Amino acid sequence: MKVKFTFPVKGSLVVANEEVKIHSFRFLFHASDRANTVEKLVVEVNDVSKDRWPTLMARKGVDQFGRPQFPFEINHNAFGLSDISSELIRLEGLLSVYGLEEIRFSEASIDWLPENESEFVSMQSGWKFGEQREEPYGEALNQQMLARLIVASSSDSAACETLTLFRAARSHFRNHRYIDAIRNFYLFVECEFANGKTGKKNSVDAFERNSVLCAAIEQMISDSEVNWFPVDLRNKYKAFDDGLDVRSVCEFLFDVRGSVQHANNFKTKWHPSKQRDLKKEAEVFQELCHIISWDIAEELAKNVPVES
């Protein structure tokens, strides 16, 4: 069985030979029709073992909350982007010297291609995954709300400015750049709630005194649909040694940011090839910052006078 990953590419990279084969991997660098620069990278992996195929597996008929669910799911052990992302991120760094700007991981498509008749029967017509599209956050914005947001965008308020950090962080998260996402999410929190304080104790004290941040944290802790702070995550950080509460989450935010900032942690914790090691932490940051940023945007729009 063969699996093929296709990624859009940005930059000015030019290659003389489009195809490179290394062991069971085949790399194809497709150039633009209008220029010689590479615009698409295809990575094919041959001879994927059957236990790594995206076949349907049986599961319980109810979820952790007792709700009915479809009794089958795609094999969690299926070969996927996470199996090659570390190598591709390193390759991205190497090729940046020669003009590559970015591999768009969030826009990847994955094709499973049977290589003989028996594999074709097992997979039927094969399996294809396109880009995972996010669900809308809410109802479509009406004209008046759009007008208010447009007017609010001309404001130089600090709250409006910090939302640019949220946007950058969300973009990094969507493109599987969890380390960069964490840095920008933390900057968003710091700009909003640290009141210029530095150092762990001063920053955490400032966070804990802010009612908006505390309310968002409490909302996540009490979420009955999603366990944002599972045991395996809490076991990674000393902040949770005395339990899960608002202050421990504030300490967690500071500690995670520190772990992806200092040079002595570069190889062990925040090397670009280790993005997926911090995915769960990035998910916590994203949810927290989204709760806060939603309220900021709504409040900014509400306070803008717009003629009907």
Side-chain angles (χ1 to χ4, degrees):
M1 183 69 68
K2 177 194 300 183
V3 58
K4 180 176 75 172
F5 300 86
T6 304
F7 307 92
V9 169
K10 295 177 63 178
S12 56
L13 176 67
V14 177
V15 297
N17 298 303
E18 290 192 348
E19 181 178 348
V20 180
K21 291 183 179 180
I22 302 177
H23 304 301
S24 61
F25 291 83
R26 180 172 177 244
F27 294 79
L28 295 167
F29 297 84
H30 293 296
S32 167
D33 292 335
R34 297 174 297 167
N36 292 326
T37 55
V38 175
E39 66 173 5
K40 184 186 300 182
L41 170 63
V42 175
V43 181
E44 295 181 355
V45 185
N46 297 310
D47 304 321
V48 178
S49 60
K50 194 169 185 177
D51 63 314
R52 304 299 309 277
W53 296 1
T55 48
L56 290 178
M57 311 288 287
R59 68 175 176 181
K60 294 180 179 179
V62 295
D63 64 14
Q64 59 179 324
F65 302 106
R67 297 173 299 196
Q69 62 181 357
F70 190 66
F72 296 97
E73 62 185 345
I74 296 175
N75 177 17
H76 287 300
N77 194 40
F79 194 97
L81 180 57
S82 61
D83 291 290
I84 62 172
S85 60
S86 295
E87 291 77 7
L88 288 179
I89 289 170
R90 293 190 187 100
L91 177 64
E92 187 181 46
L94 289 166
L95 293 180
S96 68
V97 179
Y98 306 97
L100 180 69
E101 181 181 333
E102 183 180 25
I103 298 173
R104 297 290 299 171
F105 294 105
S106 65
E107 298 172 27
S109 65
I110 306 174
D111 296 273
W112 285 86
L113 308 172
E115 296 184 273
N116 56 53
E117 185 63 27
S118 63
E119 292 180 350
F120 182 83
V121 172
S122 297
M123 293 290 291
Q124 296 299 317
S125 59
W127 211 295
K128 180 181 178 70
F129 297 94
E131 176 188 356
Q132 291 186 346
R133 300 195 178 276
E134 297 183 60
E135 292 295 321
Y137 289 131
E139 297 180 359
L141 290 172
N142 59 42
Q143 187 181 40
Q144 186 181 66
M145 185 62 171
L146 277 174
R148 289 180 177 275
L149 292 171
I150 290 169
V151 174
S153 68
S154 64
S155 167
D156 59 357
S157 71
C160 193
E161 297 289 348
T162 55
L163 287 179
T164 62
L165 294 169
F166 174 75
R167 184 216 61 80
R170 284 272 300 145
S171 178
H172 287 309
F173 184 92
R174 184 80 178 110
N175 205 31
H176 306 265
R177 316 282 180 165
Y178 303 119
I179 294 170
D180 292 316
I182 287 170
R183 289 178 182 145
N184 280 275
F185 280 133
Y186 183 84
L187 278 174
F188 170 82
V189 173
E190 187 177 41
C191 289
E192 281 291 315
F193 308 117
N195 295 324
K197 304 296 184 182
T198 59
K200 182 172 181 175
K201 184 179 186 307
N202 290 336
S203 297
V204 171
D205 286 347
F207 291 162
E208 194 177 21
R209 285 194 295 267
N210 189 279
S211 60
V212 173
L213 178 59
C214 290
I217 292 173
E218 289 171 350
Q219 180 177 329
M220 291 181 66
I221 291 175
S222 61
D223 192 333
S224 61
E225 296 289 325
V226 180
N227 181 7
W228 293 105
F229 305 97
V231 173
D232 58 341
L233 179 67
R234 299 202 303 271
N235 286 342
K236 288 176 64 176
Y237 295 94
K238 292 182 179 180
F240 297 116
D241 283 354
D242 295 326
L244 174 62
D245 56 21
V246 169
R247 185 169 183 87
S248 66
V249 174
C250 291
E251 291 182 357
F252 162 79
L253 298 175
F254 188 93
D255 291 345
V256 173
R257 177 266 190 175
S259 72
V260 299
Q261 193 70 24
H262 302 301
N264 59 344
N265 291 331
F266 176 61
K267 289 187 177 180
T268 58
K269 292 186 178 180
W270 61 270
H271 189 275
S273 65
K274 297 181 179 294
Q275 302 283 350
R276 295 195 67 85
D277 292 347
L278 289 161
K279 182 181 179 182
K280 184 59 186 177
E281 287 87 336
E283 289 174 342
V284 172
F285 271 85
Q286 176 176 242
E287 179 64 15
L288 177 66
C289 293
H290 182 248
I291 293 170
I292 296 164
S293 63
W294 181 281
D295 290 341
I296 289 174
E298 294 279 309
E299 187 66 21
L300 285 169
K302 185 177 72 175
N303 293 329
V304 168
V306 177
E307 296 182 3
S308 59

